[in-house]
Amino acid sequence: MRRLPKSRGRPTPRGPKRQRGVASVLAAFWLLVAVAALAAIDVGNVFYQRRVMQSVADMAANAGAQVVDNACSRAPATALGSAGANGFNASVSGNSITTTCGRWDPTLYAGPSYYAANATPSNAVQVTVSENVPYFFLGAGRTVSATGLAQVVNMG
């Protein structure tokens, strides 16, 4: 049987003295995990609100396209009514909705939208909604916007 050499100098402490400082390292680690989780909640909420606003913009553009004319007289009010019915409140500070009538034509206008605002004869409506999305934990928030475009297929 082989003997291990005796350690010279200070003996290695065993028990609670050896584990001093571990609690602070663990606390710092879990604090970092908590901050990352809270940031993920805020970022996830911004992406969720962006998807909701895209739905509102698309539905408002579809509603506006149903009543589009060259004067663009009824489309903005119809789009605003559709946006309100789908949960968008334009009267809240920081929220806005913009509706433009124009022409969608892939032979005349460049992609990716093939749309020209205020071109006649009007056959399309573009709706842009903006909303201030507050953060829960990270600060003031950010403005998020979405744009929907709808074309009339059979103008009668």
Side-chain angles (χ1 to χ4, degrees):
M1 189 156 127
R2 188 171 170 193
R3 286 188 161 176
L4 296 174
K6 291 183 178 181
S7 65
R8 294 195 170 114
R10 216 167 109 207
T12 307
R14 298 183 195 274
K17 285 188 175 185
R18 181 169 165 77
Q19 296 178 6
R20 196 178 305 170
V22 172
S24 61
V25 171
L26 283 174
F29 172 75
W30 287 113
L31 183 63
L32 182 64
V33 168
V35 167
L38 295 176
I41 289 171
D42 277 345
V43 170
N45 182 51
V46 168
F47 279 99
Y48 171 74
Q49 292 299 326
R50 169 71 170 83
R51 288 185 62 181
V52 168
M53 286 178 16
Q54 186 64 54
S55 295
V56 168
D58 290 340
M59 289 184 282
N62 282 333
Q66 292 177 6
V67 295
V68 69
D69 57 1
N70 286 334
C72 198
S73 58
R74 293 176 34 206
T78 305
L80 180 62
S82 173
N86 289 298
F88 184 76
N89 189 354
S91 63
V92 173
S93 177
N95 293 1
S96 67
I97 182 168
T98 305
T99 304
T100 58
C101 299
R103 180 129 187 101
W104 185 90
D105 191 345
T107 59
L108 293 177
Y109 308 115
S113 70
Y114 305 110
Y115 174 78
N118 303 317
T120 56
S122 294
N123 73 343
V125 173
Q126 183 176 21
V127 175
T128 302
V129 292
S130 298
E131 182 177 48
N132 187 17
V133 177
Y135 288 136
F136 297 121
F137 306 106
L138 294 179
R142 69 183 298 169
T143 300
V144 180
S145 65
T147 300
L149 178 63
Q151 174 202 10
V152 178
V153 177
N154 293 323
M155 291 185 74

